[in-house]
Amino acid sequence: LQDQVNALRESGGDTRAIVQEELKAWQADAAEKATTEAAAAKAEALKDAAFIALKEQVTSGAPYGSVLAALDLAVPPEALTKHAEAGLPTLADLRAGFPDAARAALEAVPATEEGFWGFLRHQVGARALTPQEGTSPDAILSRAEAGLAAGDISAALGELAALPPEAQSAMAGWVALAQDRL
């Protein structure tokens, strides 16, 4: 270094000016690096905020199309994109929609109970409201509803898989919403 300093002195160069130029170049590089890092941190913070907003809106059942678009995901999950404008059905929505879907499922299955009570039950759409044992559509639906009441969508869907095909067809819309929620 001493030799370099001496060579600079002998060549008539201004050492102070050279050092200042080097210092300015270093400061410019440091400022550019800090700006780049700040921009990356800001982008990451915005992305985190968007994910938090998405989670809150999905949980509440509110529409979230603008938040999903802001995330700019390469391939967002289909269940998210399908419900972005109207909002994903909540557990409360699923619970509220279950009775009508269950009645439709029972109506789709031919009556198997004999006698007056069986005929009447099928005609008025009566169904069990407490969990029942057995493999009848009514018993299966009662256990599915109990699982749903406990907040266990997976258990409800598991029970519904045992329904006869015509009852499953009648429940298909509700099942699709429940699977999307899950």
Side-chain angles (χ1 to χ4, degrees), residues 32-137:
E32 184 179 332
K33 183 177 179 184
T35 302
T36 302
E37 288 175 358
K42 181 180 177 182
E44 190 65 29
L46 289 172
K47 189 173 185 180
D48 288 347
F51 272 116
I52 290 168
L54 178 65
K55 181 180 180 191
E56 289 173 358
Q57 290 176 318
V58 163
T59 301
S60 72
Y64 50 86
S66 60
V67 175
L68 188 60
L71 285 173
D72 195 29
L73 300 174
V75 181
E78 181 184 343
L80 278 180
T81 56
K82 183 166 54 171
H83 298 281
E85 297 309 315
L88 197 63
T90 63
L91 182 58
D93 295 336
L94 293 174
R95 286 177 179 153
F98 189 85
D100 290 338
R103 280 189 202 90
L106 286 175
E107 288 174 11
V109 177
T112 56
E113 289 182 277
E114 294 183 17
F116 175 72
W117 293 115
F119 171 78
L120 186 61
R121 175 178 251 179
H122 191 71
Q123 291 301 311
V124 298
R127 59 186 189 84
L129 298 178
T130 58
Q132 305 291 311
E133 294 295 319
T135 59
S136 72

